[in-house]
């Protein structure tokens, strides 16, 4: 690849094409087509004086947010998930004042013609297209309509970053599924680091090197943020990047251009149905991670065959010709990695790991994991499989991983035990019915007294999940405290009312309702007994509570520690 120095402030699309013809041929081809379209479009624009092809216009960086745009940047105008033509039009017109040129996923002629028609109801239809072309030509910079920009946007951004500073990018392990993404990504990073490789993570709990995570606003950032982070980890010489691939991120192609080598599927349960039309659409979004058409670097798929939606992932991975490994907690299944025996305690879990690599030493290995919960055994199997996939020599020497497993730490806010003189108090991120059920089922086997669950539901999200969450808590716990989560712009009492739909008299008898989350946690800390286990669920690692568009400081683990102190239990 042709590399410029760090002092090089600008680049052209033609330079990116020339620099990437061999390494990223598909991207170079798409850019060439895009440039040809720009020349044709320019020639069709009435009164256009944009005679220079966008191929040779120098620019600095790509921007997806017009608030970050600087002079001579390229602005990429993407469709909003909630269509708002007026906002998109404003972004286009504002960006045109500074940008070197604009690449728009939205047809600019339609945006501008809608503006004209809304202000002039008597506009002649046959003159609309000519008027729109004149408006586009009159803009201070060229605007090119690129409806398929997401197909190569990530690659394009990375090409620009690499042109400025060439680095060796980390090998990427991506994890998708409703539950387990954060824990598995962190376990992969920890295991690879313990095995001697430099690693980093990207996801819900934060982005960065282990021990120095920076809080993220989204599980999967936008295409620019994702590529900038990948490149930054390359400059820091991280060898492995373990990331969470959300269904939103996959559906919106935010991970396009990521060099994903190993893809992991955990499970699917009801979540994000305020975004996806149904569970089938939700599953289809997840399955994109196993398609080489989207991620050409893929070599391995690691899939939980205990999950009912696993087949679509298996079918996609097999159609892409990947090496497919499976994992299971059912000793009767013929999976690649099986937890044949599981012995839990409050100190962790002893596991008999069975593999099918045909090596006597690797067939049955006893492992101790400090992670609480049966579901964390599944998470551990996925992480071990990923580490083996990254280093094929480990398939015959898998026992080398066992000592490292004993040193693992759970992700913050995932089955996190808060110290107390008596009782057992856990903070966990479980915010779906399935996740809450799994947490409670895992802890029930350890509980000598009563099992408590303190949780709520988020506002401005899937309301249909609310009674399901309450029933999951009531089915798994002896005592339930319903409270606020992140109410956002909704009244917490309305959310709590939704959660109570269908509750029986018996269920009400063991339910305490307290809208204020801090008061609810204090109630559980002061009313639970010495043999009880209390789970504070739903927020986990989050350090805020969002109310009416304001984020207030609120960390479940900190609030719980204070409540235990007030109750004289620490």
């Amino acid at each position: 690849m042709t590399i410029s120095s760090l002092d090089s402030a600008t680049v052209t699309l033609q330079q990116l094409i020339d620099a990437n013809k061999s390494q990223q041929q598909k991207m170079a081809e798409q850019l060439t087509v895009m440039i040809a379209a720009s020349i044709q479009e320019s020639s069709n624009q009435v009164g256009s004086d944009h005679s220079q092809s966008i191929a040779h216009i120098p620019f600095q960086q790509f921007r997806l947010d017009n608030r970050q745009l600087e002079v001579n940047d390229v602005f990429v105008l993407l469709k909003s998930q909630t269509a708002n033509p007026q906002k998109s039009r404003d972004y286009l017109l504002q960006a045109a004042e500074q940008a070197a040129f604009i690449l728009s996923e939205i047809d600019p002629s339609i945006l501008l013609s809608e503006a004209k028609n809304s202000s002039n109801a008597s506009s002649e239809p046959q003159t609309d297209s000519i008027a729109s072309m004149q408006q586009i030509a009159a803009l201070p910079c060229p605007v090119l309509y690129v409806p398929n920009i997401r197909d190569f946007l990530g690659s394009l951004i990375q090409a620009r970053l690499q042109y400025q500073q060439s680095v060796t990018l980390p090998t990427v392990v991506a994890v998708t599924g409703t539950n387990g993404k954060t824990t598995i990504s962190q376990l992969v990073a920890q295991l690879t680091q313990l095995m001697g490789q430099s690693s980093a993570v990207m996801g819900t709990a934060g982005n960065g090197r282990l021990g120095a995570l920076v809080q993220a606003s989204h599980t999967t950032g936008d295409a620019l943020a994702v590529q900038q982070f990948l490149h930054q980890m390359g400059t820091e010489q991280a060898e492995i990047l373990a990331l969470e691939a959300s269904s939103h991120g996959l559906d919106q192609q935010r991970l396009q251009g990521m060099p994903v080598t190993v893809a992991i599927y955990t499970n699917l349960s009801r979540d994000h149905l305020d975004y996806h039309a149904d569970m089938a659409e939700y599953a289809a979004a997840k399955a994109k991670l196993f398609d080489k058409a989207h991620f050409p670097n893929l070599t391995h798929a690691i899939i939980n065959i205990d999950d009912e939606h696993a087949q679509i992932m298996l079918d996609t991975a097999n159609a892409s010709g990947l090496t497919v490994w499976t994992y299971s907690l059912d000793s009767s299944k013929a999976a690649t990695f099986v937890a044949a025996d599981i012995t839990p305690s409050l100190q962790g879990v002893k596991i008999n790991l069975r593999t099918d690599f045909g090596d006597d030493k690797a067939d049955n290995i006893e492992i101790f994991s400090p992670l609480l919960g049966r579901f964390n055994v599944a998470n551990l199997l996925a992480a071990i499989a990923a580490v083996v996939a990254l280093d094929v020599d480990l398939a015959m020497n898998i026992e080398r991983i066992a000592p490292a497993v004993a040193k693992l730490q759970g992700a913050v806010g995932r089955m996190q035990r808060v110290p107390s003189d008596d009782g057992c108090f856990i903070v966990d991120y479980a915010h779906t019915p399935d996740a809450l059920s799994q947490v409670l089922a895992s802890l029930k086997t350890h509980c000598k007294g009563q099992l408590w669950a303190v949780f709520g539901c988020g506002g401005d999200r899937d309301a249909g999940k609310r009674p399901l969450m309450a029933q999951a808590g009531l089915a798994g716990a002896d005592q339930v405290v319903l409270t606020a989560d992140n109410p956002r712009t909704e009244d917490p009492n309305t959310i709590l009312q939704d959660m109570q739909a269908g509750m029986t008299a018996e269920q009400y008898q063991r339910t305490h309702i307290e809208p204020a989350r801090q008061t609810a946690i204090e109630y559980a800390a002061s009313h639970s007994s010495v043999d009880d286990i209390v789970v504070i669920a739903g927020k986990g690692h989050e350090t805020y509570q969002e109310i009416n568009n304001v984020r207030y400081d609120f960390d479940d683990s900190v609030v719980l520690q204070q409540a235990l102190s007030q109750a004289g239990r620490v």
Side-chain angles (χ1 to χ4, degrees):
M1 181 184 290
T2 304
I3 304 301
S4 69
S5 71
L6 282 171
D7 294 328
S8 179
T10 62
V11 68
T12 67
L13 291 179
Q14 188 60 56
Q15 287 173 313
L16 292 184
I17 291 173
D18 295 341
N20 286 275
K21 278 181 177 175
S22 58
Q23 282 87 354
Q24 297 189 46
Q25 183 179 358
K26 186 175 180 181
M27 185 205 73
E29 290 172 353
Q30 289 174 311
L31 276 179
T32 302
V33 170
M34 184 179 80
I35 288 166
S38 78
I39 296 172
Q40 179 64 36
E41 191 166 305
S42 181
S43 66
N44 290 337
Q45 290 176 2
V46 179
S48 171
D49 60 357
H50 296 313
S51 58
Q52 185 182 24
S53 164
I54 63 168
H56 302 291
I57 299 177
F59 66 91
Q60 293 180 319
Q61 302 294 339
F62 292 100
R63 302 292 182 190
L64 308 186
D65 186 338
N66 71 325
R67 294 168 298 184
Q68 298 174 353
L69 192 68
E70 297 181 3
V71 175
N72 291 329
D73 283 342
V74 173
F75 180 58
V76 182
L77 177 61
L78 298 176
K79 294 177 182 176
S80 169
Q81 295 310 302
T82 54
N84 189 327
Q86 181 60 56
K87 275 192 175 181
S88 296
R89 191 159 46 246
D90 290 345
Y91 294 154
L92 174 70
L93 296 174
Q94 291 165 14
E97 297 295 329
Q98 295 189 84
F101 55 90
I102 296 173
L103 304 177
S104 178
E105 186 184 25
I106 311 168
D107 189 339
S109 64
I110 292 176
L111 276 181
L112 295 173
S113 66
E114 285 178 351
K116 186 176 188 302
N117 290 339
S118 64
S119 62
N120 183 9
S122 63
S123 173
E124 292 291 332
Q126 64 266 28
T127 65
D128 283 353
S129 60
I130 295 175
S132 296
M133 286 190 289
Q134 288 175 328
Q135 284 181 290
I136 296 170
L139 291 172
C141 75
V143 180
L144 178 61
Y145 175 39
V146 192
N148 67 328
I149 185 68
R150 292 180 195 251
D151 291 347
F152 59 97
L153 179 58
S155 297
L156 183 57
I157 293 168
Q158 191 55 235
R160 172 66 184 105
L161 294 168
Q162 288 284 69
Y163 193 92
Q164 182 171 324
Q165 180 184 15
S166 179
V167 298
T168 300
L169 299 176
T171 298
V172 177
V173 175
V175 190
T176 198
T178 305
N179 304 313
K181 296 188 297 294
T182 300
T183 296
I184 292 173
S185 60
Q186 297 229 353
L187 295 183
V188 169
Q190 288 182 49
L191 281 174
T192 50
Q193 195 132 301
L194 288 166
M195 300 296 289
Q197 291 181 291
S198 175
S199 62
V201 293
M202 181 172 73
T204 309
N207 303 335
R209 307 297 292 276
L210 289 178
L213 300 186
V214 176
Q215 186 65 51
S217 59
H218 294 84
T219 299
T220 306
D222 64 37
L224 179 62
V226 165
Q227 293 297 335
Q228 287 175 331
F229 178 74
L230 174 69
H231 192 265
Q232 178 61 34
M233 291 302 96
T235 64
E236 295 182 19
Q237 299 182 323
E239 297 170 272
I240 306 295
L241 171 60
L243 63 83
E244 300 177 48
S246 69
S247 60
H248 292 68
L250 289 165
D251 185 59
Q252 296 169 19
Q253 295 179 269
R254 298 183 209 160
L255 291 175
Q256 191 282 322
M258 291 295 280
V260 179
T261 299
V262 179
I264 300 172
Y265 170 71
T266 63
N267 50 61
L268 210 66
S269 62
R270 180 169 180 144
D271 200 14
H272 303 307
L273 293 191
D274 53 325
Y275 177 87
H276 300 288
D278 50 36
M279 290 298 290
E281 185 180 287
Y282 184 26
K286 297 289 191 186
K288 289 181 180 180
L289 184 60
F290 304 91
D291 188 344
K292 286 197 78 164
H294 295 293
F295 300 98
N297 290 69
L298 277 172
T299 61
H300 288 73
I302 297 166
I303 296 171
N304 175 19
I305 58 169
D306 293 340
D307 183 74
E308 62 179 313
H309 297 278
Q311 195 59 51
I312 185 175
M313 315 301 161
L314 290 166
D315 291 344
T316 306
N318 283 319
S320 287
L322 306 183
T323 296
V324 178
W325 290 347
T326 56
Y327 65 97
S328 173
L329 300 185
D330 186 345
S331 61
S332 67
K333 291 184 178 178
T336 317
F337 296 81
V338 178
D341 293 297
I342 302 170
T343 307
S345 71
L346 280 179
Q347 285 68 50
V349 184
K350 187 168 70 174
I351 308 158
N352 185 357
L353 172 63
R354 188 183 73 211
T355 68
D356 69 352
F357 291 116
D359 182 89
D360 290 341
K361 290 189 295 183
D363 279 348
N364 287 281
I365 304 164
E366 188 172 284
I367 292 176
F368 175 78
S369 166
L371 307 178
L372 297 177
R374 182 179 172 86
F375 61 89
N376 268 332
V377 177
N379 292 337
L380 179 61
L381 293 184
I384 290 174
V387 174
V388 174
L390 292 169
D391 183 355
V392 291
D393 289 340
L394 281 175
M396 295 299 107
N397 298 280
I398 199 170
E399 72 277 5
R400 287 168 45 200
I401 295 177
V405 171
K407 300 176 184 177
L408 293 174
Q409 297 177 351
V412 174
R414 268 66 173 180
M415 290 293 267
Q416 177 183 349
R417 189 168 181 177
V418 175
S420 60
D421 291 340
D422 60 69
C424 178
F425 296 86
I426 303 288
V427 170
D428 191 86
Y429 187 56
H431 63 285
T432 66
D434 181 63
L436 184 59
S437 295
Q438 289 194 44
V439 166
L440 296 175
S442 292
L443 291 173
K444 190 71 173 176
T445 58
H446 304 296
C447 195
K448 296 179 181 178
Q450 291 191 314
L451 180 59
W452 291 62
V454 181
F455 61 96
C457 287
D460 303 331
R461 298 293 186 269
D462 178 13
K465 188 174 75 171
R466 293 170 185 174
L468 303 180
M469 277 291 288
Q471 289 300 317
L474 287 160
D478 303 299
Q479 299 292 328
V480 167
V481 181
L482 299 182
T483 187
D485 189 283
N486 288 316
R488 300 184 177 89
T489 64
E490 284 195 74
D491 182 347
N493 289 297
T494 300
I495 299 171
L496 289 168
Q497 196 64 43
D498 289 345
M499 294 181 73
Q500 295 170 60
M503 281 177 56
T504 66
E506 182 276 331
Q507 289 176 330
Y508 270 113
Q509 287 181 347
R510 52 193 181 88
T511 300
H512 180 77
I513 299 170
E514 173 49 67
R517 192 172 181 90
Q518 179 175 336
T519 306
I521 292 172
E522 290 170 349
Y523 178 86
S526 60
H527 285 75
S528 58
S529 300
V530 294
D531 290 329
D532 293 352
I533 296 178
V534 177
V535 181
I536 313 297
K539 288 171 57 61
H541 66 282
E542 292 179 351
T543 58
Y544 62 86
Q545 188 175 32
E546 187 174 338
I547 304 172
N548 291 325
N549 297 316
V550 178
R551 289 190 172 187
Y552 297 92
D553 288 343
F554 198 102
D555 185 324
D556 277 355
S557 63
V558 172
V559 173
L560 178 55
Q561 286 171 340
Q562 294 169 346
L564 290 170
S565 179
Q566 291 174 9
R569 305 188 70 166
V570 290

